[in-house]
Amino acid sequence: TAAAGGRYIRAQPLLLLLLGIALIGGMGAEGFDRLKEAHFIRDIGFPSVGDFQPVMWFGAFSLVGMAFGFFGVGRLRKRFEQQGTAGIARLLFSAEAVVIAGLLAFALTRSAAVAIAALLTIFLVRRLQGPLWSIWVNQQITDSSVRATVLSMTGQADAIGQAGGGPVLGAIGNAWGIRAALTTGALVLTPALGLY
């Protein structure tokens, strides 16, 4: 089954590009996914609102992100499901550009308000990217006998990117600080724009 899925992907140049995008996405996202809390605690700090502890702030960020996902993404996804390949590619290109800009703003700001706005923007756009990505990949798979395998391979490309990129970004963070690791993670994503 894996060999059949591999042959199918090799015969579809667009699926090869999608694997490359998934690999790059995994590499670049790992820094943000692992270091965002440490960046807030060590580099930025939290607004002085009541007696909120860091765990309460992170819980509030997650709740807002879930609310975005529940109310906003469902509506947006329905509008975009009928888009063709080119339309979804443009949407994903734009979403990736917004994520990169948000990651850079998050990495480089010293303002808690800017960091929170960037963080919530990244959460929202990423929640939109997931369904769009699934739609786009599924549009490319016309043979249902390899659909699950091809979907699994795109997921594995993301996981390999995370496993390969995480230690490198961690080493950069240890040597030059969390801001440097987050900035590098954002810049690692830029080749995905060319693939889109």
Side-chain angles (χ1 to χ4, degrees), residues 30-32 34-40 42-44 103 106-110 165-186:
E30 190 68 1
F32 176 78
R34 302 292 167 250
L35 298 174
K36 62 184 177 291
E37 293 89 357
H39 185 49
F40 262 111
R42 292 184 182 181
D43 299 333
I44 297 171
L103 289 171
F106 181 74
L108 301 174
T109 188
R110 296 191 183 279
V168 173
L169 294 175
I172 291 169
N174 283 335
W176 293 288
I178 294 172
R179 286 184 196 280
L182 290 169
T183 302
T184 303

Side-chain angles (χ1 to χ4, degrees), residues 94-177:
S94 300
E96 194 74 14
V98 170
V99 167
I100 292 168
L103 289 171
L104 288 172
F106 181 74
L108 301 174
T109 188
R110 296 191 183 279
S111 162
V114 172
I116 291 169
L119 179 97
L120 294 177
T121 299
I122 293 164
F123 281 177
L124 173 62
V125 175
R126 278 179 156 188
R127 287 184 185 272
L128 178 59
Q129 277 180 306
L132 287 175
W133 175 265
S134 296
I135 292 166
W136 199 24
V137 172
N138 275 292
Q139 285 178 344
Q140 310 317 309
I141 306 169
T142 56
D143 183 354
S144 61
S145 68
V146 296
R147 183 176 306 280
T149 305
V150 172
L151 292 173
S152 176
M153 288 177 164
T154 61
Q156 290 302 314
D158 180 79
I160 290 167
Q162 291 178 30
V168 173
L169 294 175
I172 291 169
N174 283 335
W176 293 288

